[in-house]
Amino acid sequence: MTGKNKRKPYATFLFAGPPGVGKTYAAKRLAYSIMGEKDTSRVKMVQFHQSYSYEDFIMGFRPTQTGFELKTGVFYEFCRKAADDDRPYFFIIDEINRGNLSKIFGELFMLIENDKRGVELQLLYADEQFSIPSNVHIIGMMNTADRSLAMLDYALRRRFAFFDILPAFDSTGFRAYRKNVNNPKFDKLISAVQQLNEVIANDESLGEGFCIGHSYFCTNVTINDEWLKSVVEFELIPLVKEYWFDEPTKVKT
């Protein structure tokens, strides 16, 4: 595509999916793939929460033994580091929908858009013009099974390229892993979980965003009866109880 229709490559991605589908793994693999190498010095990961603020992210006054001092935040430092380098940098935000994005990004919320890279704005706490370098890519991760959180608003959606990540039990990689495990009980459990996921996906109060991910069953340890029992009792059953907390009969089934 040429002329006005030519788009810049996305600098902001968002992986949405239930727990256990490998969002963190995929985010890091995407970063290293675009880099062309595994360089952890150009990848930074943080986790948003309800108390996370602009002062943590960009800059703000922090208490010291003698009063208050202006401190720069993690994203500010990351952007300054990337500005001195032409190579791609990746800032990964886990649980992005847990934070108040407008509050955390502040005046920089506009600057994460692809066509606003390099545009300068004056920072809230400093007499300084600041911009987000074009080589800084942002990857957000969102847990679709967390009912305590509202879905992301349109202002954020139009700034990110969204990718839904679903359980990959039928993928080539997981099939090879399953074959390597070579355990009939493991195979039976996976089949049961796949059937359960069909029920979850068809449930009007749940849907695909609540399906059980394949990562629950990926491990480097030897898979035996004890390991299978621990996954079922301590991870799967509590999850199902949470999903159908008002339908105990369905949980029992």
Side-chain angles (χ1 to χ4, degrees):
M1 299 173 69
T2 60
K4 293 182 179 180
N5 292 325
K6 187 176 181 180
R7 299 190 64 177
K8 295 181 181 179
Y10 270 104
T12 51
F13 310 86
L14 197 146
F15 293 156
V21 293
K23 295 186 291 294
T24 302
Y25 177 80
K28 291 182 177 179
R29 285 295 296 267
L30 174 63
Y32 298 143
S33 175
I34 295 177
M35 285 180 181
E37 61 179 330
K38 186 177 180 180
D39 185 353
T40 57
S41 68
R42 289 187 280 138
V43 177
K44 185 72 176 179
M45 184 172 176
V46 299
Q47 185 181 76
F48 280 179
H49 49 79
Q50 293 173 347
S51 298
Y52 208 89
S53 67
Y54 179 93
E55 288 74 16
D56 301 311
F57 200 59
I58 309 299
M59 67 169 56
F61 286 98
R62 293 297 185 189
T64 65
Q65 292 181 345
T66 58
F68 289 87
E69 183 179 343
L70 186 62
K71 298 276 190 178
T72 54
V74 61
F75 188 66
Y76 176 96
E77 292 293 339
F78 190 78
C79 288
R80 286 305 188 205
K81 179 181 178 182
D84 297 327
D85 196 342
D86 292 330
R87 297 175 298 172
Y89 281 66
F90 286 84
F91 196 88
I92 301 174
I93 304 172
D94 189 24
E95 303 285 3
I96 192 171
N97 53 330
R98 283 189 172 273
N100 184 331
L101 276 297
S102 297
K103 176 184 175 183
I104 294 171
F105 278 94
E107 66 274 11
L108 301 188
F109 196 46
M110 178 186 76
L111 301 187
I112 67 176
E113 296 184 42
N114 289 346
D115 59 354
K116 299 296 190 303
R117 297 306 178 91
V119 175
E120 293 186 335
L121 286 178
Q122 183 168 326
L123 294 177
L124 177 64
Y125 286 104
D127 184 15
E128 174 185 347
Q129 296 292 316
F130 183 83
S131 65
I132 300 177
S134 59
N135 61 328
V136 171
H137 302 268
I138 302 173
I139 302 177
M141 294 178 291
M142 182 177 75
N143 179 7
T144 56
D146 195 333
R147 291 195 245 205
S148 66
L149 303 173
M151 296 303 291
L152 296 174
D153 61 20
Y154 176 73
L156 181 65
R157 284 186 172 274
R158 69 185 183 86
R159 286 171 168 83
F160 283 82
F162 271 67
F163 296 91
D164 291 323
I165 300 183
L166 299 174
F169 292 111
D170 291 325
S171 67
T172 303
F174 192 85
R175 284 181 176 179
Y177 169 72
R178 188 172 171 175
K179 183 178 180 180
N180 186 58
V181 170
N182 191 27
N183 185 318
K185 290 185 178 180
F186 180 80
D187 291 338
K188 188 175 181 179
L189 176 59
I190 296 301
S191 297
V193 170
Q194 287 181 291
Q195 293 176 22
L196 178 59
N197 276 346
E198 290 184 14
V199 176
I200 292 172
N202 293 323
D203 191 294
E204 292 183 358
S205 64
L206 298 174
E208 285 190 338
F210 289 80
C211 287
I212 296 170
H214 56 279
S215 295
Y216 284 104
F217 310 96
C218 296
T219 179
N220 292 322
V221 304
T222 301
I223 294 179
N224 52 28
D225 288 0
E226 184 180 354
W227 186 88
L228 292 170
K229 184 178 179 181
S230 67
V231 171
V232 172
E233 289 191 357
F234 303 123
E235 297 190 67
L236 301 187
I237 291 178
L239 189 64
V240 171
K241 285 182 177 179
E242 180 182 335
Y243 284 175
W244 288 302
F245 65 92
D246 57 346
E247 296 183 71
T249 303
K250 184 173 284 190
V251 173
K252 186 176 181 179
T253 301

